[in-house]
């Protein structure tokens, strides 16, 4: 049996992955030398003996092993050196000084190679201090030219060098030691060291040179959205800040309308790439839109679009305007295959990705940063909205502070001509509906709705619809909250869960003694937190849990609840979950500060929109009817019911009160 004596790393050489050398373009003498070395390595990889390799190529075996070891070394670019290691005078390891430093006055700086590296290795605190100065940008990099090689200049080197000498003295280096015993005090060595640190990667060098962002990085990801050839194959999502000064009218306690200026308004939309049709949109208030706004936009694109009752006189849908699910009822709850979005935090949040990948069942393609060209259709749509709508409205902020349209939109300033939020919602609804009914040059002068109808009804394209059981539970698009069932036997407090500062329970849960201390999977409707949907740990449905106390009476969303709880913590006041009216108190407080703060006005407007909105159908109220003969059961596989005195009180039936005729006198 033949037993090889080769080292394990040399038994299976993969020369196909080794970086090559363009030896054809080199001088004749150098070319012949490199050809011999490459041939010797290839013969060794094919399994030929060392004697045959020496005889055929004339290469020494010691040199061959040295070339192999150098070729298997790691290159700074992340790959192996490969055949690049056979080039003469190529250094695969950095120089490390081992001999002690002996500087003589007549040497004039000679003999100090590697002295700074040896010093930093001996004193790690100095190396850490230099690294910290680079991270804090105590020195900046200036590019001089790139003719032949990159030439740079350091700014702030003198001041940093003085501080470095003080650091050397603090660790015990005397005037007889390096670098204090040289003429330049090691300033050129420090300069080279800092440049090596800064030029180690392009990102570090660009940041040190003052670049605000990185550009030009190619995207080699294999998971990218394909070219859209049919409807609902690829959609694009993005958020657009509407450049308008808006006002809201709120009626105070005395019955007078007060007008306030609010903060930014965001338009979030989803557009189909193949047909250019806008599937759904959402208007969000605030400085930035949140992950909940993204999820609600996805829900609006899935649900059939309901026509809006316009408040502006003489404003209505055109004969060819509308939304795809409005004109084609069969497109309700149709899902897409790919969604292209940017790298905003709200877009890449866990709730957003779970909604797209797990619930909708599509792939999310987050393109490279600062690359709006990756989503050209949604950007072009926002450009159309900006040019045809927002730039023509009073209160337009303009594209820059000196834009003449900014002065013309409101000559006298103030809120005299500002658009109200209700008017903006009407105009955006009308503008998007008209956009879907306007001919596009990219569609051969067909409208997006016509292109959608041609794909669905003309070519009989197959689409994927959301299953029936998921349409009524769109709240499952968000990630579940794990809430433990709490109770207090001595005080008679029934089983319940605590969620966002409120107590939730139901008739089923209030009688389920065996669930005390166990976790529940709770899904919320971010627009209406009066009720949530609960599931057992094994995934089986428990039912609807309703909020107790004041949180049950007024419709409110998650954002409003979190803001109320945050203000409570800021005021450091502890109140019961059964307090009389937390939402009303919050609205009154925002109303008092709305005239002085746009943020307070925006939060007040969002709260009023939530309170005045109709309750969502995602978490319907629990039916009150209970089985007449239901009995408590401690079996973990069944949900107990309650009746009579053993559980909750039965529903009270009103009875007619009989009052006497007054014939008797008491």
């Amino acid at each position: 049996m033949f037993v090889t004596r080769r080292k394990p790393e040399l038994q299976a050489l993969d020369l196909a992955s080794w970086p090559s050398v363009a030896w054809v373009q080199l001088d004749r003498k150098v070319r012949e030398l490199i050809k011999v070395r490459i041939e010797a390595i290839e013969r060794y990889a094919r399994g030929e003996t060392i004697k045959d390799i020496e005889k055929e190529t004339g290469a020494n075996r010691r040199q061959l092993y040295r070339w192999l070891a150098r070729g298997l070394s790691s290159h700074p670019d992340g790959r192996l050196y490969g055949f690049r290691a056979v080039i003469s005078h190529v250094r695969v390891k950095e120089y490390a000084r081992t001999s002690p430093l002996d500087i003589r006055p007549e040497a004039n700086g000679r003999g100090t190679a590697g002295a700074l590296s040896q010093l930093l290795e001996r004193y790690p605190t100095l190396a850490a201090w230099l690294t910290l100065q680079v991270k804090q940008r105590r020195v900046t990099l200036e590019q001089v030219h790139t003719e032949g090689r990159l030439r740079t200049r350091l700014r702030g080197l003198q001041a940093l060098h003085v501080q470095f000498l003080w650091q050397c003295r603090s660790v015990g280096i005397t005037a007889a030691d390096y670098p204090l015993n040289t003429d330049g005090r090691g300033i050129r060595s420090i300069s080279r060291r800092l440049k090596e640190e800064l030029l180690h990667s392009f990102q570090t060098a660009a940041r040190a040179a003052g670049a605000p962002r990185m550009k030009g990085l190619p995207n080699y990801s294999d998971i990218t959205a394909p070219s859209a050839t049919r409807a609902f194959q690829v959609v694009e999502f993005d958020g657009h800040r509407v450049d308008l000064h808006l006002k809201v009218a709120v009626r105070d306690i005395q019955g007078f309308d007060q007008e306030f200026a609010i903060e930014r308004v965001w338009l979030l939309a989803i557009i189909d790439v193949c047909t250019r049709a806008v599937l759904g949109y959402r208007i969000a208030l605030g400085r930035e839109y949140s992950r909940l706004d993204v999820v609600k936009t996805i829900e609006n694109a899935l649900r059939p679009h309901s026509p809006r009752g316009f408040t502006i006189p003489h404003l209505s849908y055109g004969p060819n305007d509308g939304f795809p699910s409005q004109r084609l009822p069969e497109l309700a709850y149709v899902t897409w295959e790919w969604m292209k979005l940017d790298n905003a935090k709200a877009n890449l949040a866990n709730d957003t990705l779970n909604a797209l990948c797990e619930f909708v069942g599509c792939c999310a393609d987050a393109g490279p940063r600062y690359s709006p060209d990756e989503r050209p259709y949604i950007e072009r749509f926002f450009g159309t909205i900006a040019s045809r709508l927002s730039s023509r409205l009073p209160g337009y902020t303009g594209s820059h502070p000196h834009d003449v349209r900014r002065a013309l939109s409101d000559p006298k300033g103030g809120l005299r001509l500002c658009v109200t939020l209700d008017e903006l919602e009407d105009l955006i609804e009308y503008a998007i509906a008209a956009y879907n009914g306007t001919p596009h040059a990219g569609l051969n002068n067909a409208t997006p709705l016509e292109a959608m109808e041609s794909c669905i009804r003309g070519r009989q394209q197959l689409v994927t619809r959301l299953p029936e059981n998921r349409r009524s539970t769109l709240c499952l698009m968000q990630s579940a909250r794990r809430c433990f069932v709490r109770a207090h036997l001595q005080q008679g407090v029934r089983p319940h869960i605590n969620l966002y500062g409120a107590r939730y329970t139901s008739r089923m849960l209030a009688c389920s003694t065996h669930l005390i201390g166990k976790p529940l999977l709770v899904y919320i409707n971010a627009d209406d937190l009066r009720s949530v949907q609960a599931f057992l740990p094994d995934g089986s449905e428990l039912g609807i849990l309703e909020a107790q106390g004041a949180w049950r009476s007024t419709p409110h969303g998650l954002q409003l609840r979190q803001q109320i709880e945050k203000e409570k913590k800021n005021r450091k006041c502890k109140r019961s979950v059964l307090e009389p009216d937390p939402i009303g108190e919050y609205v009154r407080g925002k109303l008092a500060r709305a005239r002085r703060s746009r943020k307070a006005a925006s939060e007040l407007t969002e709260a009023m929109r939530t309170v005045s909105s109709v309750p969502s159908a995602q978490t319907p109220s629990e039916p009150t009817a209970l089985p007449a003969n239901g009995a408590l059961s401690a079996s973990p596989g069944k949900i107990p019911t309650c009746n009579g005195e053993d559980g909750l009180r039965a529903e009270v039936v009103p009875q007619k009160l009989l009052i006497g005729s007054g014939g008797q006198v008491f």
Side-chain angles (χ1 to χ4, degrees):
M1 180 178 178
F2 176 75
V3 179
T4 179
R5 298 176 57 185
R6 295 184 176 183
K7 296 180 180 180
E9 62 271 15
L10 299 180
Q11 291 181 7
L13 289 175
D14 185 14
L15 300 184
S17 62
W18 278 32
S20 59
V21 177
W23 50 270
V24 180
Q25 303 298 328
L26 301 177
D27 296 337
R28 181 176 178 277
K29 184 177 180 180
V30 179
R31 181 170 65 247
E32 296 297 332
L33 182 63
I34 292 180
K35 285 177 59 178
V36 169
R37 296 177 179 180
I38 293 177
E39 183 183 358
I41 295 176
E42 291 176 346
R43 287 175 175 269
Y44 184 86
R46 289 196 296 264
E48 298 185 14
T49 62
I50 299 296
K51 290 184 178 180
D52 294 340
I53 296 175
E54 289 180 333
K55 181 179 179 181
E56 296 295 334
T57 62
N60 186 274
R61 65 178 60 194
R62 296 182 58 184
Q63 289 293 332
L64 176 59
Y65 287 128
R66 178 174 175 270
W67 297 332
L68 292 172
R70 286 165 56 89
L72 294 174
S73 302
S74 298
H75 194 273
D77 62 2
R79 300 179 297 172
L80 298 177
Y81 265 92
F83 291 111
R84 294 175 292 182
V86 303
I87 302 176
S88 302
H89 311 297
V90 171
R91 188 183 297 274
V92 298
K93 292 184 179 180
E94 295 293 335
Y95 171 73
R97 186 184 183 93
T98 57
S99 60
L101 189 63
D102 184 14
I103 300 179
R104 299 179 182 180
E106 64 276 6
N108 194 17
R110 295 189 297 270
T112 59
L116 181 62
S117 300
Q118 190 181 46
L119 176 69
L120 297 179
E121 184 178 357
R122 184 178 304 172
Y123 298 99
T125 55
L126 295 179
W129 184 84
L130 276 179
T131 304
L132 181 62
Q133 303 309 303
V134 172
K135 291 183 178 180
Q136 295 180 350
R137 301 183 184 178
R138 300 297 184 184
V139 290
T140 58
L141 197 65
E142 179 183 353
Q143 179 177 335
V144 180
H145 63 77
T146 56
E147 298 176 1
R149 65 183 181 89
L150 175 62
R151 184 178 178 183
T152 57
R153 183 185 297 113
L154 291 177
R155 297 293 185 182
L157 178 62
Q158 295 290 344
L160 186 140
H161 179 247
V162 173
Q163 297 178 7
F164 178 75
L165 296 181
W166 280 107
Q167 293 291 329
C168 292
R169 295 186 181 96
S170 64
V171 297
I173 297 177
T174 63
D177 301 327
Y178 180 85
L180 301 179
N181 60 351
T182 60
D183 295 336
R185 303 295 190 270
I187 186 172
R188 284 189 287 185
S189 299
I190 295 176
S191 176
R192 287 193 297 268
R193 177 82 178 198
L194 292 175
K195 287 184 178 180
E196 291 177 358
E197 290 286 340
L198 295 175
L199 297 175
H200 180 70
S201 65
F202 180 81
Q203 182 175 2
T204 306
R207 293 299 184 189
R213 60 184 184 181
M214 305 295 106
K215 305 176 184 178
L217 182 64
N219 183 20
Y220 296 110
S221 177
D222 295 334
I223 308 177
T224 56
S227 300
T229 58
R230 60 183 185 276
F232 292 97
Q233 183 181 11
V234 181
V235 299
E236 293 180 357
F237 167 84
D238 204 352
H240 170 68
R241 186 182 66 184
V242 182
D243 297 328
L244 286 175
H245 285 307
L246 295 180
K247 65 178 180 181
V248 293
V250 180
R251 182 163 295 180
D252 57 11
I253 302 177
Q254 289 77 18
F256 298 98
D257 290 338
Q258 299 187 20
E259 295 181 346
F260 307 104
I262 63 176
E263 283 185 314
R264 299 174 178 174
V265 178
W266 291 89
L267 173 61
L268 286 70
I270 297 178
I271 188 172
D272 181 67
V273 173
C274 182
T275 62
R276 315 293 198 271
V278 178
L279 305 179
Y281 73 97
R282 176 178 173 83
I283 298 177
L285 303 181
R287 296 183 179 179
E288 296 290 340
Y289 62 88
S290 64
R291 54 183 175 83
L292 299 178
D293 294 323
V294 180
V295 175
K296 295 303 295 184
T297 307
I298 300 174
E299 294 181 10
N300 294 339
L302 291 174
R303 285 199 182 97
H305 187 81
S306 301
R308 178 180 176 85
F310 296 105
T311 59
I312 300 178
H314 309 294
L315 188 65
S316 61
Y317 296 102
N320 299 322
D321 301 344
F323 288 78
S325 58
Q326 182 181 359
R327 297 290 300 273
L328 304 176
E330 62 268 24
L331 296 182
Y333 300 103
V334 173
T335 61
W336 45 85
E337 300 177 12
W338 287 84
M339 172 176 279
K340 302 178 70 173
L341 63 165
D342 59 11
N343 289 268
K345 291 184 178 180
N347 299 344
L348 300 182
N350 291 332
D351 285 355
T352 305
L353 297 180
N354 289 338
L356 290 174
C357 302
E358 301 295 336
F359 194 88
V360 179
C362 72
C363 299
D365 180 14
R369 297 180 180 180
Y370 311 111
S371 300
D373 294 340
E374 295 292 329
R375 298 167 300 279
Y377 304 104
I378 190 71
E379 296 293 344
R380 185 65 183 88
F381 163 71
F382 287 144
T384 303
I385 294 296
S387 61
R388 297 183 180 179
L389 180 63
S390 58
S391 62
R392 299 183 179 183
L393 294 178
Y396 178 61
T397 59
S399 57
H400 54 85
H402 304 289
D403 194 342
V404 66
R405 295 175 296 179
R406 182 173 185 174
L408 294 176
S409 61
D410 193 1
K412 296 185 179 181
L415 300 176
R416 188 176 62 89
L417 295 178
C418 286
V419 180
T420 63
L421 181 59
D422 294 336
E423 293 173 344
L424 180 63
E425 291 178 346
D426 289 348
L427 292 174
I428 289 180
E429 171 78 11
Y430 174 78
I432 296 179
Y435 176 86
N436 288 334
T438 303
H440 286 227
L443 300 175
N444 293 328
N445 291 326
T447 66
L449 292 178
E450 292 174 349
M452 182 68 72
E453 184 177 3
S454 174
C455 291
I456 301 300
R457 294 181 177 177
R459 290 183 285 177
Q460 299 292 325
Q461 176 186 321
L462 298 178
V463 294
T464 304
R465 292 184 175 86
L466 204 65
E468 291 285 348
N469 58 340
R470 293 189 180 183
R471 300 179 186 181
S472 59
T473 58
L474 290 182
C475 61
L476 299 181
M477 293 179 66
Q478 304 179 23
S479 58
R481 275 76 173 170
R482 292 177 60 88
C483 300
F484 289 88
V485 179
R486 304 300 183 187
H488 202 292
L489 299 178
Q490 290 83 354
Q491 298 180 3
V493 179
R494 291 186 175 275
H496 63 276
I497 63 170
N498 297 318
L499 182 65
Y500 295 116
R503 180 178 296 177
Y504 289 83
T505 188
S506 66
R507 295 194 177 189
M508 292 290 182
L509 179 61
C511 302
S512 303
T513 310
H514 67 282
L515 292 179
I516 298 177
K518 294 185 178 180
L520 297 180
L521 300 179
V522 179
Y523 292 90
I524 68 172
N525 175 14
D527 288 343
D528 191 359
L529 276 188
R530 293 178 298 174
S531 59
V532 297
Q533 193 167 6
F535 294 81
L536 297 177
D538 59 356
S540 57
E541 182 178 354
L542 176 62
I544 303 299
L545 307 183
E546 295 183 349
Q548 304 300 303
W551 297 114
R552 184 179 181 180
S553 57
T554 307
H556 62 282
L558 175 60
Q559 185 177 3
L560 179 58
R561 174 85 67 84
Q562 289 177 335
Q563 290 176 353
I564 294 176
E565 295 298 321
K566 182 179 180 180
E567 290 202 355
K568 289 181 181 179
K569 293 181 180 180
N570 293 339
R571 293 196 300 263
K572 298 181 179 180
C573 60
K574 297 182 179 179
R575 301 185 182 183
S576 172
V577 295
L578 304 177
E579 58 183 318
D581 189 11
I583 301 178
E585 182 180 353
Y586 172 82
V587 171
R588 289 189 291 270
K590 293 298 179 181
L591 181 61
R593 300 193 300 269
R595 193 170 294 279
R596 303 187 304 269
S597 172
R598 287 189 176 183
K599 180 180 180 182
S602 298
E603 294 174 348
L604 172 64
T605 306
E606 189 66 30
M608 298 298 294
R609 290 177 65 193
T610 306
V611 171
S612 61
S613 62
V614 295
S616 176
Q618 293 183 20
T619 52
S621 58
E622 181 187 13
T624 56
L626 291 176
N629 57 350
L632 276 171
S633 174
S635 174
K638 298 181 179 180
I639 304 298
T641 58
C642 304
N643 64 346
E645 298 179 355
D646 292 337
L648 299 177
R649 293 181 179 272
E651 185 177 0
V652 178
V653 180
Q655 298 181 0
K656 185 176 181 180
L657 180 62
L658 300 178
I659 302 177
S661 60
Q664 299 180 356
V665 179
F666 293 92

